[in-house]
Amino acid sequence: MPLTQVVEYLNERLHQLHPAARLRKQAGFRYRNGVLTAGVASFRLRPDQVPVVRAIDGERVAYSARCLVETGRGHPVQAEALYVQAWDPEDVVFLDRFLRVFHALHHLGCGHEPGASLALDVHLRHVSAVPEQHGQVFEDLLARLGLIPSQILLRLDGRALQRDPHVQDAAHSFARRGYRLVATRPDFGETDWDLLRRIGVRWVLQDVAALRCLRDQDALNDWLARAAPQGLGIWLDKIAHPGDLAEATALGAELVEGDWFRDAVSVPTRVAS
């Protein structure tokens, strides 16, 4: 099915799924002249992706979704500003699903190598607003795009995953449906690796600067040593130059992510050798 028809279908379907959401009347996908954009309230949205690379061999294995947001006057703002428009749980659920579908549409249109996964954020307010069966509606929407849950990496707040039973239940639900989970930036001193493994987390994401700070406090080796027995991988983002990559590789990161990989034409890890 042409992408124009898929966009029309998803516009209609999301509106039907959220009849009580105020934002559904102020949001929509647009696909014109081969360019995908969206609007939410007075904001204009453009999709973006950052390559996620396997550190051992430099292979691109996934793409991390980003949303570039502008006001009606063209001023860039943080994507989190969109959630200021979500005044009640129905709006939060609509907005979070809308954004994830937006990125899935963009991923489909990019024509990436077969098997490339898509990494998406799940907003904590969405998790709080949905009582059960997390991921089911999104799975149905993905099916329309020819995507399956195992192609999606869902990122959830690492601190909330360790402290909030409802977030843990949501993680279980996502994992049962086949999504692969990433815990983002849990507290270093309180990382419960066994708990994260039991609720279905596959990777823990941190940035290189944070690990560098931990190393300077002589706590990094202990943190990494406790991760290994649980089989969880380390995923480092904000890789901006070869020095960052060399450091990430030395730390044993499984996956690395950053703008530096956008234009890499050869195996990036060779720079670090």
Side-chain angles (χ1 to χ4, degrees), residues 67-138:
C67 194
L68 306 177
V69 183
E70 295 179 345
T71 66
R73 297 181 178 228
H75 300 303
V77 296
Q78 295 294 319
E80 187 66 22
L82 294 171
Y83 285 87
V84 176
Q85 309 297 313
W87 295 346
D88 55 45
E90 275 289 342
D91 283 333
V92 171
V93 173
F94 171 80
L95 177 59
D96 204 52
R97 283 191 186 134
F98 182 87
L99 292 175
R100 279 187 271 141
V101 169
F102 182 49
H103 289 303
L105 275 167
H106 178 235
H107 189 70
L108 180 70
C110 285
H112 293 309
E113 49 275 84
S117 298
L118 174 63
L120 297 169
D121 294 314
V122 179
H123 203 281
L124 279 181
R125 290 177 64 193
H126 175 105
V127 174
S128 299
V130 177
E132 58 185 7
Q133 296 298 322
H134 291 269
Q136 180 175 352
V137 171
F138 186 47

Side-chain angles (χ1 to χ4, degrees), residues 156-164 184-187:
L156 296 115
D157 182 89
R159 296 180 180 182
L161 275 169
Q162 296 193 147
R163 299 174 182 173
D164 188 333
T184 63
R185 299 174 177 83
D187 287 325

Side-chain angles (χ1 to χ4, degrees), residues 209-220:
L211 288 194
R212 189 179 298 128
C213 178
L214 193 67
R215 181 192 60 200
D216 294 341
Q217 298 170 8
D218 298 323
L220 179 58

Side-chain angles (χ1 to χ4, degrees), residues 14-25 87-94:
L14 277 167
H15 289 202
Q16 292 167 1
L17 285 168
H18 302 277
R22 177 188 56 85
L23 276 180
R24 72 181 176 84
K25 299 178 181 179
W87 295 346
D88 55 45
E90 275 289 342
D91 283 333
V92 171
V93 173
F94 171 80

Side-chain angles (χ1 to χ4, degrees), residues 43-62:
F43 295 102
R44 295 196 296 259
L45 284 59
R46 290 184 291 119
D48 188 29
Q49 291 187 340
V50 178
V52 178
V53 171
R54 192 163 54 204
I56 193 171
D57 59 10
E59 182 179 351
R60 295 188 180 193
V61 296

Side-chain angles (χ1 to χ4, degrees), residues 251-268:
L251 291 170
E254 179 182 345
L255 300 177
V256 286
E257 166 191 340
D259 288 316
W260 186 61
F261 297 111
R262 288 181 187 271
D263 301 319
V265 294
S266 60
V267 177

Side-chain angles (χ1 to χ4, degrees), residues 22 48 65 88-89 182 186 199 208 216 218 222 224 236-237 242 261:
R22 177 188 56 85
D48 188 29
D88 55 45
V182 184
I199 61 180
V208 171
D216 294 341
D218 298 323
D222 176 65
L224 293 172
L236 298 182
D237 66 356
F261 297 111

